[in-house]
Amino acid sequence: MARFGPFVEELLDFLLKRLDEAGFERLVVHEPRRMCAPYIFSGGGRVEQRGLWFTGCCACSQIPQGGFGNDINVEAWPCLHVRSLTLQFVDDPDYCQGWRPENALFASGRLIHPDDV
């Protein structure tokens, strides 16, 4: 069973086979990890705190103290830094266009740069 989702595993595999030492060091700083982002849910006359599990970046996915309101605006993995590492391999036949930096997402699934696409 994969530790992360197939998209994450595929991207890690792609980069680990192609990065030089400097690129690998940049990747390690932005390694993925499973995180829980707490948020407030209100519905049906009640309010409760819930958590959303997602794969985030150790450096970029900073979860604020006390969690979130209803919008989880924390970057999901692969973060913009990792996505930028893929650009040097854009001509590789195994490159996925979904890895481009403009497709970066918040953990909620919303695009970080919706105006750029």
Side-chain angles (χ1 to χ4, degrees):
M1 184 169 157
R3 182 172 166 219
F4 302 109
F7 180 79
V8 173
E9 295 287 337
E10 184 178 307
L11 178 52
L12 278 173
D13 184 55
F14 179 86
L15 286 173
L16 291 173
K17 290 178 181 174
R18 291 164 179 84
L19 289 175
D20 60 11
E21 189 174 329
F24 178 74
E25 288 174 9
R26 288 177 46 205
L27 176 63
V28 168
V29 171
H30 297 276
E31 69 180 323
R33 71 174 180 169
R34 295 293 293 155
M35 300 180 179
C36 183
Y39 66 96
I40 303 299
F41 172 80
S42 59
R46 66 175 199 241
V47 176
E48 56 188 61
Q49 184 170 345
R50 295 185 177 177
L52 170 71
W53 282 96
F54 71 102
T55 300
C57 168
C58 289
C60 300
S61 300
Q62 302 302 315
I63 298 173
Q65 289 285 16
F68 302 91
N70 291 328
D71 292 325
I72 300 175
N73 292 331
V74 63
E75 193 170 1
W77 201 92
C79 63
L80 291 171
H81 295 281
V82 171
R83 288 173 181 273
S84 69
L85 288 173
T86 69
L87 291 177
Q88 61 187 310
F89 306 111
V90 76
D91 294 329
D92 189 298
D94 293 329
Y95 181 81
C96 174
Q97 291 298 321
W99 297 338
R100 298 186 68 78
E102 58 267 24
N103 295 325
L105 298 173
F106 287 121
S108 64
R110 286 190 342 264
L111 282 172
I112 291 176
H113 302 288
D115 298 334
D116 293 342
V117 256

